[in-house]
Amino acid sequence: MKITGFRLGLLSAPLRVPFRTALREVGHVEDIVVELYTSDGAVGRGEAPPTAAVTGETLGSIQAALAGHICPALVGREVADLEELCSVISGSIVGNTSAKAAAEIAVWDLYGQACGLPLYKLLGGGRTALETDLTISVNHPETMAKDAAHAVSQGYRALKIKVGENPELDLARLRAVRAAAPEAVVRIDANQAWTPRQAVELLEAMQAEGMNLELVEQPVKARDLEGLAFVTAHSPVPVMADESVFSPLDAMTILQNHGADYINIKLMKCGGLSDALRIVSAAQVYGVECMIGCMLEAKVSVTAAVHLACAKGTITKVDLDGPALCSADPVVGGANFSGRDITLTDGPGLGISAVSNLRYLD
């Protein structure tokens, strides 16, 4: 089975409510979907969101990288040569991790279809169900309290609370959320907004008031690994590295220096499943648990992340709420999302049969 061609399309879906962090605000998901076609009539799909504030990529740059560099290098190659295909994607262009991830996911989808197995089984896993948290966007404390109460009423047991925009309000935000959701598991994400000392002071104050936080994600700037390690050493709350980890080398550097207690793996940061698997292996060596997260993708790429999480026991925390935040689901097949519960079927590859509202870009 050879790859004979490709096509790019735009997937568009409004969010139920605006997604706000210390880095950005998004009201509408608009992602590039890549479809790879084969000589046997199979279609492999992957997806990439524009996240300029994190990866530096826009819709235009993703489209250009895929159409001009990545996908043409795959045409004519055998689907069975998975490692070579992933190597070709990695070497086709510098950076552009989300574009690479979309192409890699499509390649893995084709490989699973060729083998007649769902991706999670190819990766060695057996579980087919996960429970995700739900993100509460950074807002005024009263709004966040309402959003948290609504999430709990919908059955969510873990909440990821965005903080960091106007840090003086962060303690008030957590008080409001805790009052509205006293039994919920609460994780907070500062998205690089604090200084190291500010982070420690805020976290100490939060815990002193009984916020009972499970973890804090990326409290300081992504490249401030010394500051991240300082927070990890002095914080009463376990620290998760997110934007600091784009590659297996990033993960190894943090793990070797105990720069964080947890690692957040996102396919769009690390360029796809190949390097995500290497990060998982590094974390296994150091006995460190991982979270699987998303960059506000819709269901195509989130389904790939679900397969990875179902296959690897090191991934113990799940933040795959992108599809739940969308007001419509244009993807047919793939993972099933029912509130907090995510389940996989045994369809080959990703198990996706169509994307209903895809607008092709050629």
PDB file of all heavy atoms in Angstrom, residues 81-121:
ATOM      1  N   ASP A  81       6.282   1.198   5.854  1.00  0.00           N
ATOM      2  CA  ASP A  81       7.569   1.728   6.332  1.00  0.00           C
ATOM      3  C   ASP A  81       7.326   2.850   7.330  1.00  0.00           C
ATOM      4  O   ASP A  81       7.702   4.014   7.114  1.00  0.00           O
ATOM      5  CB  ASP A  81       8.413   2.219   5.159  1.00  0.00           C
ATOM      6  CG  ASP A  81       8.805   1.104   4.203  1.00  0.00           C
ATOM      7  OD1 ASP A  81       8.876  -0.051   4.651  1.00  0.00           O
ATOM      8  OD2 ASP A  81       9.038   1.399   3.018  1.00  0.00           O
ATOM      9  N   LEU A  82       6.698   2.521   8.446  1.00  0.00           N
ATOM     10  CA  LEU A  82       6.251   3.542   9.403  1.00  0.00           C
ATOM     11  C   LEU A  82       7.399   4.377   9.937  1.00  0.00           C
ATOM     12  O   LEU A  82       7.326   5.607   9.973  1.00  0.00           O
ATOM     13  CB  LEU A  82       5.501   2.870  10.554  1.00  0.00           C
ATOM     14  CG  LEU A  82       5.005   3.806  11.654  1.00  0.00           C
ATOM     15  CD1 LEU A  82       3.981   4.788  11.115  1.00  0.00           C
ATOM     16  CD2 LEU A  82       4.422   3.011  12.816  1.00  0.00           C
ATOM     17  N   GLU A  83       8.474   3.729  10.375  1.00  0.00           N
ATOM     18  CA  GLU A  83       9.584   4.491  10.953  1.00  0.00           C
ATOM     19  C   GLU A  83      10.190   5.446   9.934  1.00  0.00           C
ATOM     20  O   GLU A  83      10.519   6.593  10.256  1.00  0.00           O
ATOM     21  CB  GLU A  83      10.654   3.533  11.490  1.00  0.00           C
ATOM     22  CG  GLU A  83      11.771   4.260  12.228  1.00  0.00           C
ATOM     23  CD  GLU A  83      12.706   3.309  12.952  1.00  0.00           C
ATOM     24  OE1 GLU A  83      12.400   2.105  13.031  1.00  0.00           O
ATOM     25  OE2 GLU A  83      13.743   3.789  13.440  1.00  0.00           O
ATOM     26  N   GLU A  84      10.320   4.990   8.690  1.00  0.00           N
ATOM     27  CA  GLU A  84      10.867   5.861   7.651  1.00  0.00           C
ATOM     28  C   GLU A  84       9.935   7.041   7.392  1.00  0.00           C
ATOM     29  O   GLU A  84      10.391   8.179   7.238  1.00  0.00           O
ATOM     30  CB  GLU A  84      11.074   5.079   6.354  1.00  0.00           C
ATOM     31  CG  GLU A  84      11.631   5.949   5.224  1.00  0.00           C
ATOM     32  CD  GLU A  84      11.732   5.204   3.899  1.00  0.00           C
ATOM     33  OE1 GLU A  84      11.629   3.963   3.908  1.00  0.00           O
ATOM     34  OE2 GLU A  84      11.914   5.870   2.873  1.00  0.00           O
ATOM     35  N   LEU A  85       8.627   6.779   7.355  1.00  0.00           N
ATOM     36  CA  LEU A  85       7.671   7.865   7.131  1.00  0.00           C
ATOM     37  C   LEU A  85       7.765   8.918   8.226  1.00  0.00           C
ATOM     38  O   LEU A  85       7.766  10.127   7.954  1.00  0.00           O
ATOM     39  CB  LEU A  85       6.252   7.301   7.067  1.00  0.00           C
ATOM     40  CG  LEU A  85       5.900   6.436   5.852  1.00  0.00           C
ATOM     41  CD1 LEU A  85       4.514   5.828   6.025  1.00  0.00           C
ATOM     42  CD2 LEU A  85       5.971   7.247   4.571  1.00  0.00           C
ATOM     43  N   CYS A  86       7.858   8.474   9.462  1.00  0.00           N
ATOM     44  CA  CYS A  86       7.973   9.420  10.578  1.00  0.00           C
ATOM     45  C   CYS A  86       9.283  10.196  10.508  1.00  0.00           C
ATOM     46  O   CYS A  86       9.329  11.392  10.821  1.00  0.00           O
ATOM     47  CB  CYS A  86       7.841   8.681  11.905  1.00  0.00           C
ATOM     48  SG  CYS A  86       6.192   7.967  12.180  1.00  0.00           S
ATOM     49  N   SER A  87      10.343   9.536  10.082  1.00  0.00           N
ATOM     50  CA  SER A  87      11.630  10.211   9.922  1.00  0.00           C
ATOM     51  C   SER A  87      11.573  11.246   8.808  1.00  0.00           C
ATOM     52  O   SER A  87      12.134  12.349   8.929  1.00  0.00           O
ATOM     53  CB  SER A  87      12.719   9.178   9.630  1.00  0.00           C
ATOM     54  OG  SER A  87      13.970   9.812   9.440  1.00  0.00           O
ATOM     55  N   VAL A  88      10.896  10.914   7.722  1.00  0.00           N
ATOM     56  CA  VAL A  88      10.729  11.864   6.618  1.00  0.00           C
ATOM     57  C   VAL A  88       9.976  13.099   7.087  1.00  0.00           C
ATOM     58  O   VAL A  88      10.351  14.245   6.776  1.00  0.00           O
ATOM     59  CB  VAL A  88       9.997  11.184   5.438  1.00  0.00           C
ATOM     60  CG1 VAL A  88       9.518  12.223   4.424  1.00  0.00           C
ATOM     61  CG2 VAL A  88      10.912  10.174   4.756  1.00  0.00           C
ATOM     62  N   ILE A  89       8.903  12.896   7.842  1.00  0.00           N
ATOM     63  CA  ILE A  89       8.133  14.029   8.361  1.00  0.00           C
ATOM     64  C   ILE A  89       9.010  14.897   9.254  1.00  0.00           C
ATOM     65  O   ILE A  89       9.030  16.127   9.130  1.00  0.00           O
ATOM     66  CB  ILE A  89       6.897  13.524   9.134  1.00  0.00           C
ATOM     67  CG1 ILE A  89       5.900  12.865   8.180  1.00  0.00           C
ATOM     68  CG2 ILE A  89       6.228  14.665   9.899  1.00  0.00           C
ATOM     69  CD1 ILE A  89       4.787  12.107   8.870  1.00  0.00           C
ATOM     70  N   SER A  90       9.742  14.271  10.156  1.00  0.00           N
ATOM     71  CA  SER A  90      10.584  15.012  11.092  1.00  0.00           C
ATOM     72  C   SER A  90      11.633  15.849  10.375  1.00  0.00           C
ATOM     73  O   SER A  90      11.921  16.984  10.788  1.00  0.00           O
ATOM     74  CB  SER A  90      11.267  14.037  12.059  1.00  0.00           C
ATOM     75  OG  SER A  90      12.114  14.712  12.953  1.00  0.00           O
ATOM     76  N   GLY A  91      12.205  15.316   9.302  1.00  0.00           N
ATOM     77  CA  GLY A  91      13.284  16.011   8.608  1.00  0.00           C
ATOM     78  C   GLY A  91      12.853  16.901   7.469  1.00  0.00           C
ATOM     79  O   GLY A  91      13.699  17.536   6.828  1.00  0.00           O
ATOM     80  N   SER A  92      11.555  16.994   7.224  1.00  0.00           N
ATOM     81  CA  SER A  92      11.086  17.733   6.054  1.00  0.00           C
ATOM     82  C   SER A  92      11.151  19.240   6.218  1.00  0.00           C
ATOM     83  O   SER A  92      11.227  19.986   5.241  1.00  0.00           O
ATOM     84  CB  SER A  92       9.650  17.310   5.720  1.00  0.00           C
ATOM     85  OG  SER A  92       8.785  17.627   6.801  1.00  0.00           O
ATOM     86  N   ILE A  93      11.118  19.729   7.457  1.00  0.00           N
ATOM     87  CA  ILE A  93      11.111  21.154   7.731  1.00  0.00           C
ATOM     88  C   ILE A  93      11.471  21.352   9.198  1.00  0.00           C
ATOM     89  O   ILE A  93      11.171  20.497  10.038  1.00  0.00           O
ATOM     90  CB  ILE A  93       9.725  21.770   7.404  1.00  0.00           C
ATOM     91  CG1 ILE A  93       9.750  23.301   7.489  1.00  0.00           C
ATOM     92  CG2 ILE A  93       8.648  21.182   8.294  1.00  0.00           C
ATOM     93  CD1 ILE A  93       8.457  23.947   6.967  1.00  0.00           C
ATOM     94  N   VAL A  94      12.115  22.449   9.520  1.00  0.00           N
ATOM     95  CA  VAL A  94      12.481  22.748  10.902  1.00  0.00           C
ATOM     96  C   VAL A  94      11.261  23.304  11.634  1.00  0.00           C
ATOM     97  O   VAL A  94      10.479  24.084  11.077  1.00  0.00           O
ATOM     98  CB  VAL A  94      13.645  23.755  10.961  1.00  0.00           C
ATOM     99  CG1 VAL A  94      13.925  24.189  12.397  1.00  0.00           C
ATOM    100  CG2 VAL A  94      14.892  23.150  10.329  1.00  0.00           C
ATOM    101  N   GLY A  95      11.089  22.903  12.910  1.00  0.00           N
ATOM    102  CA  GLY A  95       9.963  23.409  13.701  1.00  0.00           C
ATOM    103  C   GLY A  95       8.649  22.868  13.190  1.00  0.00           C
ATOM    104  O   GLY A  95       8.530  21.700  12.825  1.00  0.00           O
ATOM    105  N   ASN A  96       7.611  23.736  13.193  1.00  0.00           N
ATOM    106  CA  ASN A  96       6.297  23.363  12.655  1.00  0.00           C
ATOM    107  C   ASN A  96       5.768  22.073  13.283  1.00  0.00           C
ATOM    108  O   ASN A  96       5.314  21.159  12.585  1.00  0.00           O
ATOM    109  CB  ASN A  96       6.360  23.233  11.137  1.00  0.00           C
ATOM    110  CG  ASN A  96       6.604  24.553  10.446  1.00  0.00           C
ATOM    111  OD1 ASN A  96       5.680  25.315  10.184  1.00  0.00           O
ATOM    112  ND2 ASN A  96       7.869  24.848  10.185  1.00  0.00           N
ATOM    113  N   THR A  97       5.798  22.006  14.597  1.00  0.00           N
ATOM    114  CA  THR A  97       5.466  20.748  15.281  1.00  0.00           C
ATOM    115  C   THR A  97       4.012  20.332  15.101  1.00  0.00           C
ATOM    116  O   THR A  97       3.716  19.141  15.017  1.00  0.00           O
ATOM    117  CB  THR A  97       5.791  20.844  16.783  1.00  0.00           C
ATOM    118  OG1 THR A  97       5.108  21.971  17.349  1.00  0.00           O
ATOM    119  CG2 THR A  97       7.293  20.980  17.003  1.00  0.00           C
ATOM    120  N   SER A  98       3.087  21.276  15.030  1.00  0.00           N
ATOM    121  CA  SER A  98       1.682  20.902  14.863  1.00  0.00           C
ATOM    122  C   SER A  98       1.424  20.362  13.468  1.00  0.00           C
ATOM    123  O   SER A  98       0.677  19.381  13.298  1.00  0.00           O
ATOM    124  CB  SER A  98       0.772  22.101  15.139  1.00  0.00           C
ATOM    125  OG  SER A  98       0.909  22.553  16.466  1.00  0.00           O
ATOM    126  N   ALA A  99       2.029  20.978  12.464  1.00  0.00           N
ATOM    127  CA  ALA A  99       1.894  20.471  11.096  1.00  0.00           C
ATOM    128  C   ALA A  99       2.472  19.061  11.001  1.00  0.00           C
ATOM    129  O   ALA A  99       1.883  18.166  10.375  1.00  0.00           O
ATOM    130  CB  ALA A  99       2.596  21.411  10.118  1.00  0.00           C
ATOM    131  N   LYS A 100       3.630  18.849  11.611  1.00  0.00           N
ATOM    132  CA  LYS A 100       4.234  17.511  11.612  1.00  0.00           C
ATOM    133  C   LYS A 100       3.338  16.512  12.338  1.00  0.00           C
ATOM    134  O   LYS A 100       3.181  15.363  11.897  1.00  0.00           O
ATOM    135  CB  LYS A 100       5.616  17.560  12.270  1.00  0.00           C
ATOM    136  CG  LYS A 100       6.674  18.273  11.451  1.00  0.00           C
ATOM    137  CD  LYS A 100       7.992  18.349  12.207  1.00  0.00           C
ATOM    138  CE  LYS A 100       9.070  19.027  11.379  1.00  0.00           C
ATOM    139  NZ  LYS A 100      10.341  19.172  12.127  1.00  0.00           N
ATOM    140  N   ALA A 101       2.757  16.936  13.454  1.00  0.00           N
ATOM    141  CA  ALA A 101       1.892  16.040  14.212  1.00  0.00           C
ATOM    142  C   ALA A 101       0.689  15.611  13.385  1.00  0.00           C
ATOM    143  O   ALA A 101       0.290  14.441  13.407  1.00  0.00           O
ATOM    144  CB  ALA A 101       1.438  16.715  15.501  1.00  0.00           C
ATOM    145  N   ALA A 102       0.095  16.554  12.644  1.00  0.00           N
ATOM    146  CA  ALA A 102      -1.056  16.210  11.811  1.00  0.00           C
ATOM    147  C   ALA A 102      -0.685  15.150  10.785  1.00  0.00           C
ATOM    148  O   ALA A 102      -1.424  14.170  10.586  1.00  0.00           O
ATOM    149  CB  ALA A 102      -1.586  17.463  11.113  1.00  0.00           C
ATOM    150  N   ALA A 103       0.459  15.327  10.127  1.00  0.00           N
ATOM    151  CA  ALA A 103       0.898  14.351   9.123  1.00  0.00           C
ATOM    152  C   ALA A 103       1.222  13.009   9.768  1.00  0.00           C
ATOM    153  O   ALA A 103       0.872  11.949   9.232  1.00  0.00           O
ATOM    154  CB  ALA A 103       2.109  14.891   8.372  1.00  0.00           C
ATOM    155  N   GLU A 104       1.891  13.047  10.916  1.00  0.00           N
ATOM    156  CA  GLU A 104       2.229  11.797  11.610  1.00  0.00           C
ATOM    157  C   GLU A 104       0.986  11.030  12.039  1.00  0.00           C
ATOM    158  O   GLU A 104       0.915   9.803  11.910  1.00  0.00           O
ATOM    159  CB  GLU A 104       3.107  12.090  12.836  1.00  0.00           C
ATOM    160  CG  GLU A 104       4.527  11.642  12.671  1.00  0.00           C
ATOM    161  CD  GLU A 104       5.106  11.081  13.973  1.00  0.00           C
ATOM    162  OE1 GLU A 104       4.338  10.753  14.894  1.00  0.00           O
ATOM    163  OE2 GLU A 104       6.334  10.966  14.045  1.00  0.00           O
ATOM    164  N   ILE A 105       0.005  11.737  12.552  1.00  0.00           N
ATOM    165  CA  ILE A 105      -1.234  11.081  12.978  1.00  0.00           C
ATOM    166  C   ILE A 105      -1.902  10.413  11.775  1.00  0.00           C
ATOM    167  O   ILE A 105      -2.384   9.280  11.868  1.00  0.00           O
ATOM    168  CB  ILE A 105      -2.173  12.093  13.653  1.00  0.00           C
ATOM    169  CG1 ILE A 105      -1.602  12.504  15.017  1.00  0.00           C
ATOM    170  CG2 ILE A 105      -3.577  11.518  13.828  1.00  0.00           C
ATOM    171  CD1 ILE A 105      -2.266  13.721  15.617  1.00  0.00           C
ATOM    172  N   ALA A 106      -1.905  11.090  10.624  1.00  0.00           N
ATOM    173  CA  ALA A 106      -2.486  10.497   9.417  1.00  0.00           C
ATOM    174  C   ALA A 106      -1.720   9.243   8.996  1.00  0.00           C
ATOM    175  O   ALA A 106      -2.318   8.253   8.558  1.00  0.00           O
ATOM    176  CB  ALA A 106      -2.488  11.529   8.291  1.00  0.00           C
ATOM    177  N   VAL A 107      -0.394   9.281   9.116  1.00  0.00           N
ATOM    178  CA  VAL A 107       0.428   8.116   8.769  1.00  0.00           C
ATOM    179  C   VAL A 107       0.138   6.947   9.710  1.00  0.00           C
ATOM    180  O   VAL A 107      -0.024   5.793   9.272  1.00  0.00           O
ATOM    181  CB  VAL A 107       1.918   8.501   8.800  1.00  0.00           C
ATOM    182  CG1 VAL A 107       2.808   7.268   8.863  1.00  0.00           C
ATOM    183  CG2 VAL A 107       2.270   9.348   7.576  1.00  0.00           C
ATOM    184  N   TRP A 108       0.087   7.207  11.017  1.00  0.00           N
ATOM    185  CA  TRP A 108      -0.232   6.159  11.981  1.00  0.00           C
ATOM    186  C   TRP A 108      -1.646   5.617  11.739  1.00  0.00           C
ATOM    187  O   TRP A 108      -1.893   4.407  11.897  1.00  0.00           O
ATOM    188  CB  TRP A 108      -0.113   6.685  13.403  1.00  0.00           C
ATOM    189  CG  TRP A 108       1.286   6.736  13.948  1.00  0.00           C
ATOM    190  CD1 TRP A 108       2.175   7.767  13.839  1.00  0.00           C
ATOM    191  CD2 TRP A 108       1.952   5.714  14.704  1.00  0.00           C
ATOM    192  NE1 TRP A 108       3.348   7.449  14.488  1.00  0.00           N
ATOM    193  CE2 TRP A 108       3.233   6.189  15.025  1.00  0.00           C
ATOM    194  CE3 TRP A 108       1.574   4.451  15.149  1.00  0.00           C
ATOM    195  CZ2 TRP A 108       4.156   5.459  15.760  1.00  0.00           C
ATOM    196  CZ3 TRP A 108       2.484   3.705  15.883  1.00  0.00           C
ATOM    197  CH2 TRP A 108       3.760   4.205  16.184  1.00  0.00           C
ATOM    198  N   ASP A 109      -2.571   6.482  11.373  1.00  0.00           N
ATOM    199  CA  ASP A 109      -3.931   6.048  11.050  1.00  0.00           C
ATOM    200  C   ASP A 109      -3.896   5.047   9.892  1.00  0.00           C
ATOM    201  O   ASP A 109      -4.523   3.970   9.949  1.00  0.00           O
ATOM    202  CB  ASP A 109      -4.775   7.267  10.691  1.00  0.00           C
ATOM    203  CG  ASP A 109      -6.250   6.945  10.486  1.00  0.00           C
ATOM    204  OD1 ASP A 109      -6.704   5.850  10.883  1.00  0.00           O
ATOM    205  OD2 ASP A 109      -6.958   7.812   9.928  1.00  0.00           O
ATOM    206  N   LEU A 110      -3.152   5.366   8.836  1.00  0.00           N
ATOM    207  CA  LEU A 110      -3.024   4.452   7.694  1.00  0.00           C
ATOM    208  C   LEU A 110      -2.352   3.146   8.097  1.00  0.00           C
ATOM    209  O   LEU A 110      -2.765   2.057   7.658  1.00  0.00           O
ATOM    210  CB  LEU A 110      -2.210   5.117   6.582  1.00  0.00           C
ATOM    211  CG  LEU A 110      -2.905   6.216   5.775  1.00  0.00           C
ATOM    212  CD1 LEU A 110      -1.923   6.822   4.773  1.00  0.00           C
ATOM    213  CD2 LEU A 110      -4.139   5.672   5.054  1.00  0.00           C
ATOM    214  N   TYR A 111      -1.341   3.241   8.923  1.00  0.00           N
ATOM    215  CA  TYR A 111      -0.618   2.041   9.359  1.00  0.00           C
ATOM    216  C   TYR A 111      -1.549   1.108  10.141  1.00  0.00           C
ATOM    217  O   TYR A 111      -1.546  -0.112   9.938  1.00  0.00           O
ATOM    218  CB  TYR A 111       0.581   2.448  10.208  1.00  0.00           C
ATOM    219  CG  TYR A 111       1.496   1.303  10.576  1.00  0.00           C
ATOM    220  CD1 TYR A 111       2.354   0.739   9.628  1.00  0.00           C
ATOM    221  CD2 TYR A 111       1.518   0.794  11.871  1.00  0.00           C
ATOM    222  CE1 TYR A 111       3.200  -0.310   9.963  1.00  0.00           C
ATOM    223  CE2 TYR A 111       2.357  -0.260  12.210  1.00  0.00           C
ATOM    224  CZ  TYR A 111       3.196  -0.808  11.256  1.00  0.00           C
ATOM    225  OH  TYR A 111       4.034  -1.850  11.593  1.00  0.00           O
ATOM    226  N   GLY A 112      -2.359   1.676  11.017  1.00  0.00           N
ATOM    227  CA  GLY A 112      -3.312   0.866  11.759  1.00  0.00           C
ATOM    228  C   GLY A 112      -4.335   0.219  10.842  1.00  0.00           C
ATOM    229  O   GLY A 112      -4.697  -0.957  11.021  1.00  0.00           O
ATOM    230  N   GLN A 113      -4.801   0.981   9.854  1.00  0.00           N
ATOM    231  CA  GLN A 113      -5.750   0.413   8.898  1.00  0.00           C
ATOM    232  C   GLN A 113      -5.110  -0.728   8.108  1.00  0.00           C
ATOM    233  O   GLN A 113      -5.746  -1.762   7.858  1.00  0.00           O
ATOM    234  CB  GLN A 113      -6.245   1.502   7.948  1.00  0.00           C
ATOM    235  CG  GLN A 113      -7.113   2.553   8.623  1.00  0.00           C
ATOM    236  CD  GLN A 113      -7.541   3.638   7.661  1.00  0.00           C
ATOM    237  OE1 GLN A 113      -8.084   3.362   6.588  1.00  0.00           O
ATOM    238  NE2 GLN A 113      -7.292   4.891   8.026  1.00  0.00           N
ATOM    239  N   ALA A 114      -3.848  -0.551   7.703  1.00  0.00           N
ATOM    240  CA  ALA A 114      -3.154  -1.598   6.956  1.00  0.00           C
ATOM    241  C   ALA A 114      -2.986  -2.864   7.790  1.00  0.00           C
ATOM    242  O   ALA A 114      -3.054  -3.984   7.270  1.00  0.00           O
ATOM    243  CB  ALA A 114      -1.792  -1.084   6.487  1.00  0.00           C
ATOM    244  N   CYS A 115      -2.791  -2.698   9.100  1.00  0.00           N
ATOM    245  CA  CYS A 115      -2.625  -3.839  10.001  1.00  0.00           C
ATOM    246  C   CYS A 115      -3.955  -4.414  10.475  1.00  0.00           C
ATOM    247  O   CYS A 115      -3.994  -5.492  11.080  1.00  0.00           O
ATOM    248  CB  CYS A 115      -1.793  -3.438  11.218  1.00  0.00           C
ATOM    249  SG  CYS A 115      -0.091  -2.980  10.844  1.00  0.00           S
ATOM    250  N   GLY A 116      -5.044  -3.658  10.231  1.00  0.00           N
ATOM    251  CA  GLY A 116      -6.357  -4.108  10.680  1.00  0.00           C
ATOM    252  C   GLY A 116      -6.560  -4.008  12.168  1.00  0.00           C
ATOM    253  O   GLY A 116      -7.375  -4.745  12.738  1.00  0.00           O
ATOM    254  N   LEU A 117      -5.833  -3.085  12.837  1.00  0.00           N
ATOM    255  CA  LEU A 117      -5.897  -2.953  14.291  1.00  0.00           C
ATOM    256  C   LEU A 117      -6.112  -1.495  14.686  1.00  0.00           C
ATOM    257  O   LEU A 117      -5.601  -0.575  14.028  1.00  0.00           O
ATOM    258  CB  LEU A 117      -4.599  -3.439  14.941  1.00  0.00           C
ATOM    259  CG  LEU A 117      -4.322  -4.942  14.921  1.00  0.00           C
ATOM    260  CD1 LEU A 117      -2.903  -5.194  15.411  1.00  0.00           C
ATOM    261  CD2 LEU A 117      -5.326  -5.672  15.802  1.00  0.00           C
ATOM    262  N   PRO A 118      -6.834  -1.262  15.786  1.00  0.00           N
ATOM    263  CA  PRO A 118      -6.908   0.102  16.318  1.00  0.00           C
ATOM    264  C   PRO A 118      -5.548   0.535  16.838  1.00  0.00           C
ATOM    265  O   PRO A 118      -4.741  -0.298  17.268  1.00  0.00           O
ATOM    266  CB  PRO A 118      -7.935   0.002  17.441  1.00  0.00           C
ATOM    267  CG  PRO A 118      -7.961  -1.435  17.816  1.00  0.00           C
ATOM    268  CD  PRO A 118      -7.620  -2.207  16.581  1.00  0.00           C
ATOM    269  N   LEU A 119      -5.316   1.837  16.831  1.00  0.00           N
ATOM    270  CA  LEU A 119      -3.998   2.360  17.177  1.00  0.00           C
ATOM    271  C   LEU A 119      -3.567   1.966  18.582  1.00  0.00           C
ATOM    272  O   LEU A 119      -2.400   1.632  18.810  1.00  0.00           O
ATOM    273  CB  LEU A 119      -4.005   3.880  17.018  1.00  0.00           C
ATOM    274  CG  LEU A 119      -2.683   4.614  17.177  1.00  0.00           C
ATOM    275  CD1 LEU A 119      -1.625   4.044  16.247  1.00  0.00           C
ATOM    276  CD2 LEU A 119      -2.887   6.104  16.918  1.00  0.00           C
ATOM    277  N   TYR A 120      -4.498   1.987  19.547  1.00  0.00           N
ATOM    278  CA  TYR A 120      -4.091   1.690  20.924  1.00  0.00           C
ATOM    279  C   TYR A 120      -3.546   0.277  21.057  1.00  0.00           C
ATOM    280  O   TYR A 120      -2.650   0.013  21.864  1.00  0.00           O
ATOM    281  CB  TYR A 120      -5.247   1.942  21.901  1.00  0.00           C
ATOM    282  CG  TYR A 120      -6.316   0.883  21.942  1.00  0.00           C
ATOM    283  CD1 TYR A 120      -6.279  -0.160  22.867  1.00  0.00           C
ATOM    284  CD2 TYR A 120      -7.388   0.929  21.054  1.00  0.00           C
ATOM    285  CE1 TYR A 120      -7.265  -1.127  22.903  1.00  0.00           C
ATOM    286  CE2 TYR A 120      -8.378  -0.037  21.085  1.00  0.00           C
ATOM    287  CZ  TYR A 120      -8.311  -1.056  22.009  1.00  0.00           C
ATOM    288  OH  TYR A 120      -9.283  -2.014  22.045  1.00  0.00           O
ATOM    289  N   LYS A 121      -4.074  -0.669  20.257  1.00  0.00           N
ATOM    290  CA  LYS A 121      -3.556  -2.027  20.298  1.00  0.00           C
ATOM    291  C   LYS A 121      -2.177  -2.116  19.651  1.00  0.00           C
ATOM    292  O   LYS A 121      -1.296  -2.849  20.132  1.00  0.00           O
ATOM    293  CB  LYS A 121      -4.533  -2.981  19.624  1.00  0.00           C
ATOM    294  CG  LYS A 121      -5.790  -3.251  20.442  1.00  0.00           C
ATOM    295  CD  LYS A 121      -6.657  -4.336  19.832  1.00  0.00           C
ATOM    296  CE  LYS A 121      -7.855  -4.647  20.719  1.00  0.00           C
ATOM    297  NZ  LYS A 121      -8.734  -5.687  20.118  1.00  0.00           N
TER     298      LYS A 121
END
